Amino acid sequence: VQLQASGGGLVQAGGSLRLSCVASGGTFGRYIMGWFRQAPGKEREFVATISRSGGSTNHADSVKGRFTISRDNAKNTVYLQMNSLKPEDTAVYYCAADRNLGMALTTAPDLYDYWGQGTQVTVSS
């Protein structure tokens, strides 16, 4: 499956952005989807993940209450709504797909099989 992320940009602290990730070449509803981010000089870190149906989600503590992951299987798209953005949210954001048949919503990037190209989010203070 190929993943194409978009929606990044430059925003002031306290602002909002919505990232989108469109999947093609596979059966989108079979994949657990996740968002990760990587800031300069830092390791890639988990942001949020969502089950195949969209009924279950998990968010990193650093974004809980501010970010929301969702998906629309009819549109082969996963979203990340980001509100109350902070300068420390600045990073390249990646969407990823986990083809594992299990139910666990993994937070480990190594367990995801497919990755998008990333979209830059910059939050100014």
Side-chain angles (χ1 to χ4, degrees):
V1 64
Q2 291 79 45
L3 303 175
Q4 180 73 40
S6 63
L10 174 63
V11 64
Q12 289 187 334
S16 298
L17 285 173
R18 187 176 81 156
L19 306 184
S20 299
C21 174
V22 179
S24 60
T27 305
F28 182 70
R30 291 183 178 178
Y31 300 103
I32 291 170
M33 298 299 297
W35 284 97
F36 294 80
R37 66 187 181 186
Q38 188 166 18
K42 296 187 177 181
E43 293 186 352
R44 192 167 297 188
E45 67 171 355
F46 165 74
V47 176
T49 182
I50 188 167
S51 64
R52 297 175 187 84
S53 68
S56 296
T57 61
N58 184 19
H59 296 77
D61 288 343
S62 59
V63 307
K64 276 181 182 176
R66 301 187 298 121
F67 292 10
T68 303
I69 189 172
S70 62
R71 68 190 295 164
D72 185 338
N73 286 350
K75 295 183 177 180
N76 291 350
T77 303
V78 61
Y79 304 97
L80 185 68
Q81 178 66 44
M82 305 187 295
N83 299 328
S84 302
L85 282 160
K86 304 175 181 180
E88 51 264 43
D89 295 318
T90 295
V92 177
Y93 283 71
Y94 299 90
C95 58
D98 175 7
R99 65 184 178 185
N100 193 304
L101 296 179
M103 300 299 292
L105 299 182
T106 181
T107 63
D110 290 349
L111 297 181
Y112 282 76
D113 302 288
Y114 305 103
W115 291 84
Q117 85 289 0
T119 184
Q120 176 71 47
V121 172
T122 303
V123 184
S124 63
S125 57

